[in-house]
Amino acid sequence: MSTLMRRIFLCIIGMLAGLAAWPFAETTLLFQAGFPSYLVFSVFLGIIFGLIMGGFFGTSDGIIMSVKSNIISGAVFGILVGIVGGAIGFLIGQAALFIIGDMLIHSAKSFNTIGFPISRAVGWAFLGVFIGMIDGVRSRSLDKIKVGIIGGIIGGFLGGLALEYSRLVIPGMLFARLIGLLVFGLLIGFAYGFVENRLSFGVLRLLNGKYKGTEFLINQKKMKIGSSEKNSIVLLGYDKISDTHAELAIKGDNVVIKKASPKTIISVNDDKVDEHELIMDDVVEIGNAKFLYKFK
């Protein structure tokens, strides 16, 4: 899919995650009185949110890249990371609630309209960080983890504010929390996609074959290209492509493509090369797959 569709898809995944989390959240709230303390209840609720939303966001890269194994592993990583993130995020939210409530806010009205929503949004921001880092943790990519941290904290905090204030602005509406969760998921997906695009080093767009028009963001300092699903860019359904055929590397501000081994063949603008520094509109051939290199 194109980079624009990638960002739209991330937003949709976020909204679906919010939709899926809503009934579980409402069910948990019905049993709030059965928890030994509000802290335990809050942490448990954070785990529920993290588990569900982490699982949804974890599948996104595998779906975008059409790699089934990454969908499964991403979901598993997403659930595990989400559980940890939900527990830590809501603990931090409680700590922020204590600090803001006891030290900064001195009236019940200010606490309810400012202190409580902001402190909870801080907790949501940390959950957003963990959700954003899922694909980076799965692929062991520091570049993706960095994108996840920045996008997650921005989307999580803004989405958390939207979620908390939705219940204040429309308190009598049955689906106020649902609307807030949808916006929360949407903003995490939007922020991640925006930051990922801004921090990428360009795009390779497929010009032929089964996945013609698909765009691959160059969003890591080192990326491998080949037919194996272990690569960053997986080329399934194309001929004359080795398991790991070529490599992309960032040198300074430039993107360099090179052969992964002496036996593989790559061409740039119809010239066979061992290594080449890409410039705008270069046409790269890997096996029978052709790419056009574009800046962001």
Side-chain angles (χ1 to χ4, degrees), residues 66-127:
S66 299
V67 179
K68 292 182 180 179
S69 62
N70 286 358
I71 297 175
I72 298 171
S73 64
V76 172
F77 267 91
I79 289 170
L80 295 177
V81 174
I83 287 173
V84 175
I88 292 176
F90 276 56
L91 275 174
I92 290 174
Q94 287 301 299
L97 184 64
F98 172 78
I99 293 170
I100 294 173
D102 283 11
M103 299 183 182
L104 301 177
I105 303 296
H106 302 290
S107 73
K109 181 178 180 180
S110 295
F111 178 79
N112 290 328
T113 58
I114 299 175
F116 189 80
I118 290 178
S119 62
R120 289 293 296 266
V122 170
W124 287 110
F126 276 88
L127 173 57

Side-chain angles (χ1 to χ4, degrees), residues 22-37:
W22 177 65
F24 291 94
E26 295 300 319
T27 302
T28 303
L29 286 165
L30 291 175
F31 296 95
Q32 181 177 347
F35 286 84
S37 68

Side-chain angles (χ1 to χ4, degrees), residues 17-256:
L19 178 63
W22 177 65
F24 291 94
E26 295 300 319
T27 302
T28 303
L29 286 165
L30 291 175
F31 296 95
Q32 181 177 347
F35 286 84
S37 68
Y38 184 77
L39 177 62
V40 174
F41 164 74
S42 182
V43 171
F44 182 81
L45 191 60
I47 289 172
I48 294 296
F49 281 123
L51 185 154
I52 296 171
M53 302 194 79
F56 268 80
F57 274 100
T59 65
S60 60
D61 190 69
I63 296 173
I64 289 170
M65 302 296 289
S66 299
V67 179
K68 292 182 180 179
S69 62
N70 286 358
I71 297 175
I72 298 171
S73 64
V76 172
F77 267 91
I79 289 170
L80 295 177
V81 174
I83 287 173
V84 175
I88 292 176
F90 276 56
L91 275 174
I92 290 174
Q94 287 301 299
L97 184 64
F98 172 78
I99 293 170
I100 294 173
D102 283 11
M103 299 183 182
L104 301 177
I105 303 296
H106 302 290
S107 73
K109 181 178 180 180
S110 295
F111 178 79
N112 290 328
T113 58
I114 299 175
F116 189 80
I118 290 178
S119 62
R120 289 293 296 266
V122 170
W124 287 110
F126 276 88
L127 173 57
V129 167
F130 278 83
I131 290 174
M133 291 195 303
I134 288 170
D135 191 53
V137 174
R138 182 196 61 78
S139 61
R140 300 176 185 177
S141 169
L142 291 177
D143 295 302
K144 286 189 173 184
I145 289 174
K146 180 173 71 174
V147 169
I149 291 173
I150 298 172
I153 201 166
I154 293 172
F157 183 74
L158 294 177
L161 283 178
L163 173 58
E164 297 303 327
Y165 277 109
S166 67
R167 296 185 295 112
L168 292 176
V169 174
I170 43 178
M173 185 175 177
L174 179 63
F175 299 109
R177 203 182 328 270
L178 172 59
I179 294 171
L181 284 169
L182 291 174
V183 175
F184 175 74
L186 170 68
L187 287 175
I188 288 183
F190 176 82
Y192 183 93
F194 177 80
V195 173
E196 181 185 46
N197 186 68
R198 295 300 302 169
L199 295 184
S200 69
F201 300 95
V203 177
L204 284 177
R205 180 161 60 90
L206 267 169
L207 299 176
N208 66 330
K210 181 179 180 180
Y211 297 105
K212 180 180 178 180
T214 299
E215 295 181 338
F216 299 94
L217 275 176
I218 304 173
N219 55 7
Q220 302 174 64
K221 291 182 180 178
K222 289 186 178 181
M223 298 177 69
K224 294 182 178 181
I225 306 172
S227 59
S228 170
E229 293 188 350
K230 295 180 180 180
N231 295 297
S232 303
I233 297 177
V234 181
L235 298 174
L236 300 174
Y238 290 86
D239 298 328
K240 302 177 182 178
I241 296 177
S242 302
D243 286 350
T244 300
H245 197 104
E247 296 179 356
L248 291 168
I250 306 302
K251 295 184 178 180
D253 293 327
N254 301 311
V255 180
V256 175

